[in-house]
Amino acid sequence: MQVHLLAIAVLALAFLLGALRGINLGAVALVGGGAMVLLVTGKGVDELYAAFPADLFVLLIGVTFLFGIAAVNGTIEWVVDVLSRSVRGRASVMPWLLFLIAGVVTSLGALAPVVVGLVAPIGMRLAKKHGISPRLAGLMILHGACCGNFSPVNLLGATVNSTLERGGLDPSPIALFLANIGYNVLLGVVIYCSFGGLKLWRAERDTPALAFPAVGQPAVATVGAAAIATEPGGTSGGTSGGAARTSAAGSEAAAGPPGPQPLGFDRIKGLTLAVIVVVGVIAMVGKVDLGILALSAAVILMVVAPKSSAGAAKRIAWDVVLLICGVVTYVGLLNEIGTIKFVGDAANSLGSPLATAFLICLIGAVVSAFASSAGIIAVLIPLAMPFLLSGQISVTGMAIAVAISATVVDSTPFSTIGAVVLSNADAEDRDYTYRGFLSWGALMVVTAPVLTMAFVLPGLL
């Protein structure tokens, strides 16, 4: 028992150092594992190396390499540009546009911190320009990014599914993906209604606004309450003789500078999108190892278009690879020395499967609000394994509950992506945004473990 408590204390210390000192949690976990096998168990480093997840290592490398190619050859930028042009300057739609962009890109395999780092600077500036609450814009970006967290081609989704498989359980990748999307979309609706989205919609309904035209369509501008239709090329279309009508005050609509041109779509972008779609489809319905599949797809793209893929290897998320592989290796060591069984038996001793599930989700929500979501998920799923193997509860329902509880709390200002959004808020809005994120994040910590029990209960009835 003392060995198990010491092993758990080392893991807790690793999380503490990672949160307070900014040290990669995986590196600390590997050092802690080395200390355990050399100083406590006395079995040598071979026991630690045996716990290294080679399959997960290939998976992380393959997925981030493939997405890195899509980033450097402009495919992801093109997707974002197309989505951005799908709305015509309507402030009421922009929060949902930010939500959609973040969700689509993370679903394609991008890490949430990367996506938020790209979308937040643009999104928060758009919010400031169009009078959108920074709380509304920021939270929509955060929960949009959370939507794609458990796509089968995203690292978090792949981590959950591969961990369950290695434990001898059958994962449900599509159910996990769709349940997470549904939960975050519902949160998006609550955010939109609570932080000013309805006010934007009512304002646009009552007062026509400047609309950005689709390509080849006339622009419609408003000066006060009067609208002027301007044909492409500068010819004004009026009610008689084509003369431009201005407001009674004599205001004139001046043509602004032309907007940025749409990004071009070429053969390389088309090929990259096709490859990503194929990988995603096979990952959802096939039995091919996703790591080898993604890595093979990345190598094919490198061979076909080496120039457009140059620098993609630098986009491999080595810090995330170290984080997840380090934590999973340590957890594997805990399994070898019996600590996982010890914790599982302790949880099962509560006597109620529902209480055990709730406790695991609550721990995940509280810890993840201050530490790495990827790290805590890599710990919680194995810790719950004895509980899941007992057959007392639905594996899919529990996986969904743990996954959602550990990630929706990333909206706190202490999480990586929450801090990124907060740092991109305008200086004069930063304190206001911080307080909003803090309140919303605290609400997520309290409500997520409770609400996600709805996924667990059907397996108990």
Side-chain angles (χ1 to χ4, degrees):
M1 180 176 178
Q2 291 181 345
V3 172
H4 301 320
L5 294 178
L6 180 60
I8 295 171
V10 170
L11 182 61
L13 178 62
F15 273 101
L16 189 62
L17 288 175
L20 299 180
R21 293 294 185 180
I23 306 172
N24 189 294
L25 179 59
V28 180
L30 286 173
V31 172
M36 286 293 299
V37 296
L38 292 174
L39 303 177
V40 179
T41 66
K43 295 183 177 181
V45 293
D46 288 344
E47 186 177 30
L48 181 66
Y49 295 154
F52 183 80
D55 56 339
L56 188 56
F57 176 78
V58 174
L59 175 67
L60 299 178
I61 298 295
V63 170
T64 55
F65 192 14
L66 178 60
F67 179 77
I69 292 175
V72 299
N73 68 18
T75 302
I76 299 303
E77 187 180 3
W78 180 83
V79 171
V80 171
D81 183 66
V82 169
L83 292 174
S84 298
R85 292 177 181 279
S86 64
V87 298
R88 301 181 178 181
R90 296 180 58 191
S92 64
V93 181
M94 285 182 184
W96 283 111
L97 174 65
L98 297 173
F99 186 96
L100 179 63
I101 290 174
V104 167
V105 179
T106 50
S107 296
L108 290 175
L111 297 175
V114 175
V115 175
V116 172
L118 292 172
V119 177
I122 299 172
M124 299 305 280
R125 288 187 183 92
L126 281 174
K128 186 69 174 178
K129 177 179 179 180
H130 293 277
I132 302 170
S133 167
R135 292 178 175 178
L136 172 60
L139 289 174
M140 292 295 273
I141 292 170
L142 291 171
H143 284 282
C146 286
C147 273
N149 273 339
F150 298 99
S151 159
V153 297
N154 191 285
L155 296 188
L156 288 181
T159 298
V160 172
N161 296 324
S162 64
T163 302
L164 291 174
E165 285 181 345
R166 288 203 312 275
L169 298 170
D170 292 326
S172 300
I174 296 178
L176 174 62
F177 182 37
L178 294 180
N180 180 62
I181 289 178
Y183 194 92
N184 279 284
V185 168
L186 289 177
L187 290 179
V189 172
V190 174
I191 292 167
Y192 188 81
C193 295
S194 302
F195 293 98
L198 292 179
K199 291 181 180 178
L200 294 172
W201 179 78
R202 293 191 190 102
E204 288 180 354
R205 181 192 61 184
D206 298 337
T207 306
L210 178 65
F212 295 107
V215 177
Q217 297 297 320
V220 178
T222 60
V223 182
I228 304 169
T230 305
E231 299 293 343
T235 304
S236 301
T239 55
S240 63
R245 306 294 187 188
T246 62
S247 65
S251 301
E252 294 185 357
Q261 295 300 310
L263 296 176
F265 185 79
D266 53 30
R267 179 179 63 88
I268 300 301
K269 293 184 180 69
L271 177 62
T272 304
L273 276 178
V275 167
I276 290 175
V277 169
V278 169
V279 169
V281 170
I282 294 177
M284 289 185 182
V285 302
K287 295 296 183 181
V288 180
D289 182 86
L290 178 58
I292 294 296
L293 182 65
L295 190 58
S296 301
V299 171
I300 290 172
L301 289 175
M302 289 286 288
V303 172
V304 173
K307 290 185 179 179
S308 63
S309 303
K314 297 178 181 178
R315 300 281 185 124
I316 296 175
W318 291 110
D319 56 338
V320 178
V321 173
L322 175 59
L323 166 68
I324 294 180
C325 288
V327 170
V328 171
T329 299
Y330 187 80
V331 172
L333 176 63
L334 296 186
N335 188 50
E336 289 295 322
I337 64 178
T339 302
I340 298 296
K341 186 178 185 303
F342 171 78
V343 173
D345 291 343
N348 287 330
S349 67
L350 293 176
S352 168
L354 186 62
T356 302
F358 174 75
L359 179 61
I360 293 173
C361 290
L362 181 62
I363 292 172
V366 172
V367 176
S368 188
F370 301 93
S372 164
S373 296
I376 191 62
I377 286 174
V379 171
L380 285 180
I381 296 296
L383 287 180
M385 201 67 71
F387 177 51
L388 296 174
L389 288 170
S390 69
Q392 299 180 53
I393 202 165
S394 165
V395 173
T396 300
M398 187 63 191
I400 292 171
V402 170
I404 292 176
S405 297
T407 53
V408 294
V409 298
D410 284 344
S411 52
T412 67
F414 308 112
S415 72
T416 301
I417 59 176
V420 169
V421 173
L422 184 63
S423 67
N424 281 283
D426 194 75
E428 64 183 19
D429 297 328
R430 199 160 292 156
D431 184 61
Y432 170 78
T433 307
Y434 170 82
R435 286 184 278 109
F437 282 15
L438 189 62
S439 299
W440 178 262
L443 184 64
M444 293 300 97
V445 170
V446 173
T447 58
V450 176
L451 296 179
T452 54
M453 290 301 100
F455 298 105
V456 175
L457 279 172
L460 297 175
L461 300 178

